[in-house]
């Protein structure tokens, strides 16, 4: 069944969210995250501050990194929809390898945003919160797909979700990502 086109109201909400995110990103890249106020972002997007918070209750950090629901869905899909013969750990590594500081070929704007996140303590902390907030959903899909007992699945999910924060700040993030998964494969040999 074909998905219905979004209505006018939904399109307007999406356009407002896009305008706010774009204005915030441009201001943050130009002046630094800590040197921009929500009032300046709202003004640049031609909206009210209350509108900004209605669309982004997480505040300035959410303007750059979103709310986390997309991550949760994408992580679960990476495990559930992996190709035959691809292990759970490999699917998770491959998924992370396309994100933020691990992306091998980002467009210049994406690279600048990833660098901003890594260099800004508030953004880095928020990103970590978004990743670790996916723990229950990831643990559930790992347990479902691998037959792991609940605690083992939670443990693995927790370790995987700490990797973006730990490896993403290393001098060579892709190499650190590979090293992190090498350690995990030793701890969960059945999921290799």
């Amino acid at each position: 069944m074909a998905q219905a086109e979004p209505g006018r109201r939904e399109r307007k909400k999406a356009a407002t969210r896009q305008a706010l995110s774009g204005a915030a990103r441009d201001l943050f890249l130009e002046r630094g995250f800590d040197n921009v106020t929500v009032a300046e972002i709202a003004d640049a997007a031609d909206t009210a501050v209350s509108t900004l918070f209605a669309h982004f209750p997480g505040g300035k950090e959410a303007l750059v990194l979103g709310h986390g629901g997309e991550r949760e869905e994408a992580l679960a899909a990476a495990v559930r929809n992996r190709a035959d013969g691809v292990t759970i750990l490999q699917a998770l590594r491959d998924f992370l390898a396309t994100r933020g500081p691990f992306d091998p070929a980002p467009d210049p704007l994406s690279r600048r945003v990833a660098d901003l996140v890594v260099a800004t303590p508030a953004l880095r902390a928020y990103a970590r919160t978004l990743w670790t907030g996916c723990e229950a959903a990831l643990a559930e899909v790992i347990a479902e797909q691998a037959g792991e007992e609940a605690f083992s699945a939670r443990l693995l999910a927790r370790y995987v979700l700490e990797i973006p924060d730990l490896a993403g700040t290393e001098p060579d993030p892709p190499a650190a990502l590979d090293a992190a998964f090498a350690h995990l494969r030793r701890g969960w040999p059945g999921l290799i």
Side-chain angles (χ1 to χ4, degrees):
M1 185 168 136
Q3 191 171 7
E5 289 291 317
R8 181 172 181 254
R9 183 180 180 112
E10 288 76 27
R11 289 192 312 270
K12 285 186 74 151
K13 283 182 179 181
T16 299
R17 289 178 63 81
Q18 183 74 25
L20 286 163
S21 287
R25 180 197 61 230
D26 294 347
L27 288 168
F28 294 155
L29 291 173
E30 178 185 320
R31 297 185 2 221
F33 179 81
D34 295 324
N35 299 320
V36 177
T37 67
V38 291
E40 291 171 317
I41 296 165
D43 186 54
D46 197 26
T47 66
V49 171
S50 60
T51 301
L52 183 149
F53 283 112
H55 287 278
F56 294 94
K60 286 177 25 175
E61 294 84 358
L63 286 157
V64 175
L65 295 165
H67 58 77
E70 176 272 340
R71 285 169 208 257
E72 198 170 277
E73 292 169 14
L75 278 162
V79 173
R80 281 194 183 104
N81 303 333
R82 68 192 190 281
D84 289 339
V86 174
T87 66
I88 290 172
L89 284 175
Q90 187 62 46
L92 289 168
R93 184 246 166 247
D94 292 348
F95 171 78
L96 289 177
T98 65
R99 308 288 289 222
F102 307 116
D103 188 346
D107 62 81
L109 182 59
S110 295
R111 171 54 56 210
R112 289 181 66 209
V113 170
D115 291 346
L116 175 72
V117 171
V118 169
T120 306
L123 287 173
R124 218 176 119 208
Y126 187 75
R128 182 175 181 269
T129 299
L130 292 177
W131 283 114
T132 58
C134 299
E135 181 182 327
L138 182 57
E140 183 180 314
V141 76
I142 290 170
E144 164 195 305
Q145 294 285 308
E148 286 287 311
E149 55 96 11
F151 180 70
S152 179
R154 270 189 23 241
L155 211 58
L156 177 58
R158 172 81 52 94
Y159 290 141
V160 167
L161 296 171
E162 291 289 351
I163 290 172
D165 184 54
L166 294 170
T169 58
E170 288 294 308
D172 183 353
L177 177 70
D178 289 339
F181 275 92
H183 287 287
L184 292 177
R185 282 191 293 276
R186 286 195 296 272
W188 278 271
L191 297 177
I192 300 173

mmCIF file of all heavy atoms in Angstrom, residues 6-50:
data_model
loop_
_atom_site.group_PDB
_atom_site.id
_atom_site.type_symbol
_atom_site.label_atom_id
_atom_site.label_comp_id
_atom_site.label_asym_id
_atom_site.label_seq_id
_atom_site.Cartn_x
_atom_site.Cartn_y
_atom_site.Cartn_z
ATOM 1 N N PRO A 6 2.283 13.691 2.671
ATOM 2 C CA PRO A 6 2.006 14.499 3.860
ATOM 3 C C PRO A 6 1.111 15.687 3.507
ATOM 4 O O PRO A 6 1.196 16.253 2.425
ATOM 5 C CB PRO A 6 3.387 14.970 4.318
ATOM 6 C CG PRO A 6 4.310 14.696 3.190
ATOM 7 C CD PRO A 6 3.673 13.682 2.297
ATOM 8 N N GLY A 7 0.245 16.032 4.446
ATOM 9 C CA GLY A 7 -0.657 17.154 4.261
ATOM 10 C C GLY A 7 0.073 18.479 4.397
ATOM 11 O O GLY A 7 1.271 18.530 4.744
ATOM 12 N N ARG A 8 -0.656 19.545 4.155
ATOM 13 C CA ARG A 8 -0.084 20.890 4.208
ATOM 14 C C ARG A 8 0.530 21.184 5.574
ATOM 15 O O ARG A 8 1.635 21.719 5.672
ATOM 16 C CB ARG A 8 -1.181 21.910 3.880
ATOM 17 C CG ARG A 8 -0.698 23.339 3.886
ATOM 18 C CD ARG A 8 -1.813 24.266 3.363
ATOM 19 N NE ARG A 8 -1.331 25.624 3.341
ATOM 20 C CZ ARG A 8 -1.708 26.554 4.206
ATOM 21 N NH1 ARG A 8 -2.586 26.270 5.151
ATOM 22 N NH2 ARG A 8 -1.219 27.766 4.134
ATOM 23 N N ARG A 9 -0.173 20.829 6.621
ATOM 24 C CA ARG A 9 0.323 21.092 7.980
ATOM 25 C C ARG A 9 1.650 20.367 8.239
ATOM 26 O O ARG A 9 2.583 20.944 8.782
ATOM 27 C CB ARG A 9 -0.747 20.661 8.984
ATOM 28 C CG ARG A 9 -0.383 20.939 10.418
ATOM 29 C CD ARG A 9 -1.517 20.469 11.335
ATOM 30 N NE ARG A 9 -1.185 20.732 12.703
ATOM 31 C CZ ARG A 9 -1.796 21.612 13.467
ATOM 32 N NH1 ARG A 9 -2.805 22.307 13.004
ATOM 33 N NH2 ARG A 9 -1.420 21.785 14.712
ATOM 34 N N GLU A 10 1.722 19.101 7.830
ATOM 35 C CA GLU A 10 2.950 18.336 8.027
ATOM 36 C C GLU A 10 4.095 18.914 7.197
ATOM 37 O O GLU A 10 5.242 18.962 7.648
ATOM 38 C CB GLU A 10 2.745 16.860 7.679
ATOM 39 C CG GLU A 10 1.895 16.093 8.674
ATOM 40 C CD GLU A 10 0.412 16.394 8.545
ATOM 41 O OE1 GLU A 10 -0.044 16.769 7.442
ATOM 42 O OE2 GLU A 10 -0.300 16.270 9.559
ATOM 43 N N ARG A 11 3.781 19.352 5.968
ATOM 44 C CA ARG A 11 4.816 19.961 5.123
ATOM 45 C C ARG A 11 5.328 21.257 5.742
ATOM 46 O O ARG A 11 6.530 21.536 5.717
ATOM 47 C CB ARG A 11 4.280 20.213 3.713
ATOM 48 C CG ARG A 11 4.077 18.946 2.897
ATOM 49 C CD ARG A 11 3.817 19.233 1.419
ATOM 50 N NE ARG A 11 2.814 20.243 1.172
ATOM 51 C CZ ARG A 11 1.505 20.028 1.026
ATOM 52 N NH1 ARG A 11 1.037 18.798 1.122
ATOM 53 N NH2 ARG A 11 0.665 21.024 0.794
ATOM 54 N N LYS A 12 4.419 22.055 6.311
ATOM 55 C CA LYS A 12 4.830 23.308 6.954
ATOM 56 C C LYS A 12 5.704 23.030 8.182
ATOM 57 O O LYS A 12 6.703 23.716 8.411
ATOM 58 C CB LYS A 12 3.604 24.143 7.343
ATOM 59 C CG LYS A 12 2.938 24.827 6.143
ATOM 60 C CD LYS A 12 1.843 25.739 6.581
ATOM 61 C CE LYS A 12 2.477 26.954 7.179
ATOM 62 N NZ LYS A 12 1.758 28.188 7.085
ATOM 63 N N LYS A 13 5.325 22.025 8.967
ATOM 64 C CA LYS A 13 6.130 21.660 10.132
ATOM 65 C C LYS A 13 7.518 21.211 9.699
ATOM 66 O O LYS A 13 8.525 21.603 10.298
ATOM 67 C CB LYS A 13 5.449 20.533 10.924
ATOM 68 C CG LYS A 13 4.301 20.974 11.776
ATOM 69 C CD LYS A 13 3.758 19.782 12.539
ATOM 70 C CE LYS A 13 2.615 20.165 13.443
ATOM 71 N NZ LYS A 13 2.108 19.005 14.197
ATOM 72 N N ALA A 14 7.572 20.382 8.662
ATOM 73 C CA ALA A 14 8.867 19.905 8.160
ATOM 74 C C ALA A 14 9.708 21.062 7.644
ATOM 75 O O ALA A 14 10.923 21.125 7.892
ATOM 76 C CB ALA A 14 8.663 18.860 7.067
ATOM 77 N N ALA A 15 9.090 22.008 6.948
ATOM 78 C CA ALA A 15 9.822 23.167 6.432
ATOM 79 C C ALA A 15 10.350 24.029 7.579
ATOM 80 O O ALA A 15 11.484 24.532 7.514
ATOM 81 C CB ALA A 15 8.919 23.996 5.513
ATOM 82 N N THR A 16 9.556 24.182 8.625
ATOM 83 C CA THR A 16 9.998 24.968 9.788
ATOM 84 C C THR A 16 11.167 24.271 10.469
ATOM 85 O O THR A 16 12.169 24.912 10.818
ATOM 86 C CB THR A 16 8.836 25.184 10.781
ATOM 87 O OG1 THR A 16 7.799 25.905 10.116
ATOM 88 C CG2 THR A 16 9.284 25.951 12.019
ATOM 89 N N ARG A 17 11.060 22.966 10.659
ATOM 90 C CA ARG A 17 12.155 22.200 11.273
ATOM 91 C C ARG A 17 13.430 22.330 10.444
ATOM 92 O O ARG A 17 14.514 22.524 10.978
ATOM 93 C CB ARG A 17 11.774 20.726 11.431
ATOM 94 C CG ARG A 17 10.732 20.465 12.490
ATOM 95 C CD ARG A 17 10.362 18.984 12.579
ATOM 96 N NE ARG A 17 11.487 18.166 12.970
ATOM 97 C CZ ARG A 17 11.909 17.999 14.215
ATOM 98 N NH1 ARG A 17 11.284 18.602 15.211
ATOM 99 N NH2 ARG A 17 12.941 17.229 14.481
ATOM 100 N N GLN A 18 13.278 22.228 9.123
ATOM 101 C CA GLN A 18 14.419 22.336 8.218
ATOM 102 C C GLN A 18 15.048 23.730 8.308
ATOM 103 O O GLN A 18 16.266 23.870 8.352
ATOM 104 C CB GLN A 18 13.972 22.040 6.782
ATOM 105 C CG GLN A 18 15.086 22.049 5.777
ATOM 106 C CD GLN A 18 15.963 20.824 5.899
ATOM 107 O OE1 GLN A 18 15.536 19.781 6.367
ATOM 108 N NE2 GLN A 18 17.216 20.950 5.501
ATOM 109 N N ALA A 19 14.206 24.754 8.329
ATOM 110 C CA ALA A 19 14.708 26.136 8.423
ATOM 111 C C ALA A 19 15.462 26.350 9.736
ATOM 112 O O ALA A 19 16.541 26.969 9.749
ATOM 113 C CB ALA A 19 13.560 27.136 8.295
ATOM 114 N N LEU A 20 14.914 25.839 10.827
ATOM 115 C CA LEU A 20 15.575 25.985 12.123
ATOM 116 C C LEU A 20 16.900 25.225 12.158
ATOM 117 O O LEU A 20 17.916 25.761 12.604
ATOM 118 C CB LEU A 20 14.642 25.508 13.245
ATOM 119 C CG LEU A 20 13.486 26.447 13.584
ATOM 120 C CD1 LEU A 20 12.405 25.719 14.380
ATOM 121 C CD2 LEU A 20 13.999 27.666 14.345
ATOM 122 N N SER A 21 16.886 23.988 11.698
ATOM 123 C CA SER A 21 18.122 23.188 11.678
ATOM 124 C C SER A 21 19.184 23.829 10.803
ATOM 125 O O SER A 21 20.357 23.899 11.186
ATOM 126 C CB SER A 21 17.846 21.776 11.159
ATOM 127 O OG SER A 21 17.159 21.027 12.103
ATOM 128 N N GLY A 22 18.782 24.270 9.622
ATOM 129 C CA GLY A 22 19.736 24.890 8.711
ATOM 130 C C GLY A 22 20.319 26.173 9.265
ATOM 131 O O GLY A 22 21.538 26.416 9.181
ATOM 132 N N ALA A 23 19.464 27.009 9.841
ATOM 133 C CA ALA A 23 19.941 28.263 10.436
ATOM 134 C C ALA A 23 20.901 27.973 11.587
ATOM 135 O O ALA A 23 21.964 28.604 11.694
ATOM 136 C CB ALA A 23 18.762 29.106 10.917
ATOM 137 N N ALA A 24 20.539 27.017 12.433
ATOM 138 C CA ALA A 24 21.406 26.666 13.566
ATOM 139 C C ALA A 24 22.742 26.136 13.071
ATOM 140 O O ALA A 24 23.806 26.576 13.540
ATOM 141 C CB ALA A 24 20.715 25.632 14.448
ATOM 142 N N ARG A 25 22.715 25.209 12.144
ATOM 143 C CA ARG A 25 23.956 24.633 11.610
ATOM 144 C C ARG A 25 24.862 25.731 11.050
ATOM 145 O O ARG A 25 26.044 25.788 11.364
ATOM 146 C CB ARG A 25 23.623 23.605 10.530
ATOM 147 C CG ARG A 25 24.850 22.940 9.916
ATOM 148 C CD ARG A 25 24.541 22.254 8.604
ATOM 149 N NE ARG A 25 24.064 23.248 7.654
ATOM 150 C CZ ARG A 25 22.950 23.115 6.923
ATOM 151 N NH1 ARG A 25 22.204 22.048 7.018
ATOM 152 N NH2 ARG A 25 22.594 24.061 6.079
ATOM 153 N N ASP A 26 24.290 26.612 10.226
ATOM 154 C CA ASP A 26 25.097 27.675 9.625
ATOM 155 C C ASP A 26 25.700 28.596 10.682
ATOM 156 O O ASP A 26 26.888 28.945 10.605
ATOM 157 C CB ASP A 26 24.259 28.482 8.633
ATOM 158 C CG ASP A 26 23.838 27.667 7.412
ATOM 159 O OD1 ASP A 26 24.394 26.553 7.199
ATOM 160 O OD2 ASP A 26 22.942 28.125 6.684
ATOM 161 N N LEU A 27 24.896 28.983 11.668
ATOM 162 C CA LEU A 27 25.399 29.858 12.733
ATOM 163 C C LEU A 27 26.457 29.151 13.575
ATOM 164 O O LEU A 27 27.479 29.755 13.933
ATOM 165 C CB LEU A 27 24.247 30.350 13.610
ATOM 166 C CG LEU A 27 23.327 31.382 12.972
ATOM 167 C CD1 LEU A 27 22.057 31.570 13.818
ATOM 168 C CD2 LEU A 27 24.047 32.711 12.784
ATOM 169 N N PHE A 28 26.219 27.893 13.914
ATOM 170 C CA PHE A 28 27.188 27.148 14.725
ATOM 171 C C PHE A 28 28.517 27.010 13.987
ATOM 172 O O PHE A 28 29.585 27.156 14.583
ATOM 173 C CB PHE A 28 26.662 25.763 15.082
ATOM 174 C CG PHE A 28 25.457 25.750 15.979
ATOM 175 C CD1 PHE A 28 24.595 24.667 15.955
ATOM 176 C CD2 PHE A 28 25.169 26.797 16.838
ATOM 177 C CE1 PHE A 28 23.475 24.629 16.776
ATOM 178 C CE2 PHE A 28 24.052 26.767 17.671
ATOM 179 C CZ PHE A 28 23.203 25.676 17.634
ATOM 180 N N LEU A 29 28.452 26.705 12.696
ATOM 181 C CA LEU A 29 29.683 26.540 11.925
ATOM 182 C C LEU A 29 30.419 27.867 11.757
ATOM 183 O O LEU A 29 31.651 27.897 11.725
ATOM 184 C CB LEU A 29 29.385 25.914 10.562
ATOM 185 C CG LEU A 29 28.945 24.447 10.601
ATOM 186 C CD1 LEU A 29 28.513 23.977 9.220
ATOM 187 C CD2 LEU A 29 30.033 23.547 11.174
ATOM 188 N N GLU A 30 29.671 28.934 11.677
ATOM 189 C CA GLU A 30 30.273 30.255 11.501
ATOM 190 C C GLU A 30 30.882 30.784 12.794
ATOM 191 O O GLU A 30 32.000 31.311 12.801
ATOM 192 C CB GLU A 30 29.206 31.233 11.004
ATOM 193 C CG GLU A 30 29.684 32.652 10.816
ATOM 194 C CD GLU A 30 28.543 33.590 10.441
ATOM 195 O OE1 GLU A 30 27.684 33.189 9.638
ATOM 196 O OE2 GLU A 30 28.512 34.717 10.981
ATOM 197 N N ARG A 31 30.156 30.618 13.919
ATOM 198 C CA ARG A 31 30.569 31.286 15.162
ATOM 199 C C ARG A 31 30.881 30.342 16.318
ATOM 200 O O ARG A 31 31.354 30.794 17.363
ATOM 201 C CB ARG A 31 29.463 32.254 15.592
ATOM 202 C CG ARG A 31 29.279 33.338 14.549
ATOM 203 C CD ARG A 31 28.304 34.437 14.872
ATOM 204 N NE ARG A 31 27.647 34.428 16.132
ATOM 205 C CZ ARG A 31 26.350 34.731 16.303
ATOM 206 N NH1 ARG A 31 25.597 35.053 15.284
ATOM 207 N NH2 ARG A 31 25.818 34.730 17.501
ATOM 208 N N GLY A 32 30.592 29.070 16.155
ATOM 209 C CA GLY A 32 30.786 28.124 17.253
ATOM 210 C C GLY A 32 29.495 27.923 18.020
ATOM 211 O O GLY A 32 28.700 28.848 18.184
ATOM 212 N N PHE A 33 29.288 26.734 18.485
ATOM 213 C CA PHE A 33 28.057 26.349 19.168
ATOM 214 C C PHE A 33 27.760 27.247 20.372
ATOM 215 O O PHE A 33 26.645 27.721 20.553
ATOM 216 C CB PHE A 33 28.148 24.890 19.608
ATOM 217 C CG PHE A 33 26.941 24.386 20.337
ATOM 218 C CD1 PHE A 33 25.818 23.982 19.633
ATOM 219 C CD2 PHE A 33 26.923 24.318 21.721
ATOM 220 C CE1 PHE A 33 24.691 23.516 20.298
ATOM 221 C CE2 PHE A 33 25.804 23.854 22.390
ATOM 222 C CZ PHE A 33 24.690 23.457 21.679
ATOM 223 N N ASP A 34 28.766 27.466 21.193
ATOM 224 C CA ASP A 34 28.566 28.215 22.434
ATOM 225 C C ASP A 34 28.376 29.714 22.223
ATOM 226 O O ASP A 34 28.011 30.425 23.158
ATOM 227 C CB ASP A 34 29.735 27.967 23.392
ATOM 228 C CG ASP A 34 29.792 26.522 23.851
ATOM 229 O OD1 ASP A 34 28.717 25.920 24.043
ATOM 230 O OD2 ASP A 34 30.911 25.983 23.989
ATOM 231 N N ASN A 35 28.614 30.191 21.023
ATOM 232 C CA ASN A 35 28.505 31.623 20.743
ATOM 233 C C ASN A 35 27.208 31.992 20.023
ATOM 234 O O ASN A 35 27.105 33.096 19.484
ATOM 235 C CB ASN A 35 29.702 32.081 19.906
ATOM 236 C CG ASN A 35 31.006 31.864 20.635
ATOM 237 O OD1 ASN A 35 31.089 32.090 21.838
ATOM 238 N ND2 ASN A 35 32.006 31.407 19.924
ATOM 239 N N VAL A 36 26.254 31.093 20.023
ATOM 240 C CA VAL A 36 24.979 31.326 19.336
ATOM 241 C C VAL A 36 23.847 31.076 20.332
ATOM 242 O O VAL A 36 23.852 30.071 21.046
ATOM 243 C CB VAL A 36 24.818 30.377 18.122
ATOM 244 C CG1 VAL A 36 23.473 30.569 17.450
ATOM 245 C CG2 VAL A 36 25.954 30.580 17.125
ATOM 246 N N THR A 37 22.879 31.985 20.358
ATOM 247 C CA THR A 37 21.731 31.821 21.253
ATOM 248 C C THR A 37 20.542 31.255 20.480
ATOM 249 O O THR A 37 20.479 31.363 19.248
ATOM 250 C CB THR A 37 21.307 33.165 21.874
ATOM 251 O OG1 THR A 37 20.798 34.011 20.839
ATOM 252 C CG2 THR A 37 22.469 33.837 22.601
ATOM 253 N N VAL A 38 19.588 30.685 21.210
ATOM 254 C CA VAL A 38 18.373 30.183 20.559
ATOM 255 C C VAL A 38 17.595 31.336 19.927
ATOM 256 O O VAL A 38 16.967 31.163 18.877
ATOM 257 C CB VAL A 38 17.479 29.353 21.512
ATOM 258 C CG1 VAL A 38 18.147 28.046 21.872
ATOM 259 C CG2 VAL A 38 17.087 30.120 22.741
ATOM 260 N N ALA A 39 17.655 32.516 20.529
ATOM 261 C CA ALA A 39 16.972 33.680 19.952
ATOM 262 C C ALA A 39 17.561 34.030 18.585
ATOM 263 O O ALA A 39 16.820 34.360 17.650
ATOM 264 C CB ALA A 39 17.061 34.873 20.891
ATOM 265 N N GLU A 40 18.870 33.946 18.464
ATOM 266 C CA GLU A 40 19.512 34.224 17.173
ATOM 267 C C GLU A 40 19.128 33.187 16.119
ATOM 268 O O GLU A 40 18.913 33.525 14.952
ATOM 269 C CB GLU A 40 21.031 34.264 17.334
ATOM 270 C CG GLU A 40 21.518 35.459 18.128
ATOM 271 C CD GLU A 40 22.989 35.371 18.473
ATOM 272 O OE1 GLU A 40 23.467 34.269 18.865
ATOM 273 O OE2 GLU A 40 23.663 36.402 18.351
ATOM 274 N N ILE A 41 19.021 31.948 16.542
ATOM 275 C CA ILE A 41 18.621 30.883 15.613
ATOM 276 C C ILE A 41 17.187 31.108 15.159
ATOM 277 O O ILE A 41 16.886 31.042 13.959
ATOM 278 C CB ILE A 41 18.773 29.492 16.272
ATOM 279 C CG1 ILE A 41 20.240 29.214 16.586
ATOM 280 C CG2 ILE A 41 18.185 28.405 15.367
ATOM 281 C CD1 ILE A 41 20.457 28.068 17.546
ATOM 282 N N ALA A 42 16.298 31.365 16.109
ATOM 283 C CA ALA A 42 14.892 31.604 15.769
ATOM 284 C C ALA A 42 14.772 32.792 14.826
ATOM 285 O O ALA A 42 14.029 32.735 13.827
ATOM 286 C CB ALA A 42 14.069 31.830 17.030
ATOM 287 N N ASP A 43 15.518 33.850 15.101
ATOM 288 C CA ASP A 43 15.483 35.033 14.248
ATOM 289 C C ASP A 43 15.984 34.705 12.838
ATOM 290 O O ASP A 43 15.371 35.105 11.843
ATOM 291 C CB ASP A 43 16.322 36.149 14.878
ATOM 292 C CG ASP A 43 16.207 37.448 14.116
ATOM 293 O OD1 ASP A 43 15.065 37.909 13.895
ATOM 294 O OD2 ASP A 43 17.258 38.000 13.726
ATOM 295 N N ALA A 44 17.069 33.970 12.734
ATOM 296 C CA ALA A 44 17.621 33.609 11.423
ATOM 297 C C ALA A 44 16.655 32.740 10.626
ATOM 298 O O ALA A 44 16.638 32.784 9.396
ATOM 299 C CB ALA A 44 18.957 32.888 11.591
ATOM 300 N N ALA A 45 15.837 31.962 11.330
ATOM 301 C CA ALA A 45 14.848 31.097 10.663
ATOM 302 C C ALA A 45 13.495 31.779 10.536
ATOM 303 O O ALA A 45 12.532 31.172 10.060
ATOM 304 C CB ALA A 45 14.699 29.790 11.433
ATOM 305 N N ASP A 46 13.415 33.021 10.989
ATOM 306 C CA ASP A 46 12.184 33.812 10.938
ATOM 307 C C ASP A 46 11.035 33.115 11.685
ATOM 308 O O ASP A 46 9.918 32.984 11.187
ATOM 309 C CB ASP A 46 11.785 34.107 9.485
ATOM 310 C CG ASP A 46 10.778 35.248 9.392
ATOM 311 O OD1 ASP A 46 10.747 36.101 10.303
ATOM 312 O OD2 ASP A 46 9.998 35.272 8.417
ATOM 313 N N THR A 47 11.364 32.638 12.903
ATOM 314 C CA THR A 47 10.357 32.022 13.773
ATOM 315 C C THR A 47 10.514 32.596 15.177
ATOM 316 O O THR A 47 11.476 33.298 15.476
ATOM 317 C CB THR A 47 10.512 30.484 13.855
ATOM 318 O OG1 THR A 47 11.748 30.179 14.496
ATOM 319 C CG2 THR A 47 10.447 29.818 12.498
ATOM 320 N N ALA A 48 9.608 32.232 16.045
ATOM 321 C CA ALA A 48 9.687 32.616 17.453
ATOM 322 C C ALA A 48 10.502 31.581 18.224
ATOM 323 O O ALA A 48 10.595 30.417 17.818
ATOM 324 C CB ALA A 48 8.276 32.704 18.039
ATOM 325 N N VAL A 49 11.067 32.003 19.331
ATOM 326 C CA VAL A 49 11.806 31.076 20.194
ATOM 327 C C VAL A 49 10.887 29.947 20.653
ATOM 328 O O VAL A 49 11.293 28.779 20.701
ATOM 329 C CB VAL A 49 12.445 31.817 21.389
ATOM 330 C CG1 VAL A 49 13.020 30.835 22.402
ATOM 331 C CG2 VAL A 49 13.514 32.777 20.911
ATOM 332 N N SER A 50 9.637 30.280 20.958
ATOM 333 C CA SER A 50 8.694 29.228 21.381
ATOM 334 C C SER A 50 8.479 28.203 20.274
ATOM 335 O O SER A 50 8.321 27.009 20.552
ATOM 336 C CB SER A 50 7.360 29.849 21.811
ATOM 337 O OG SER A 50 6.782 30.572 20.736
#
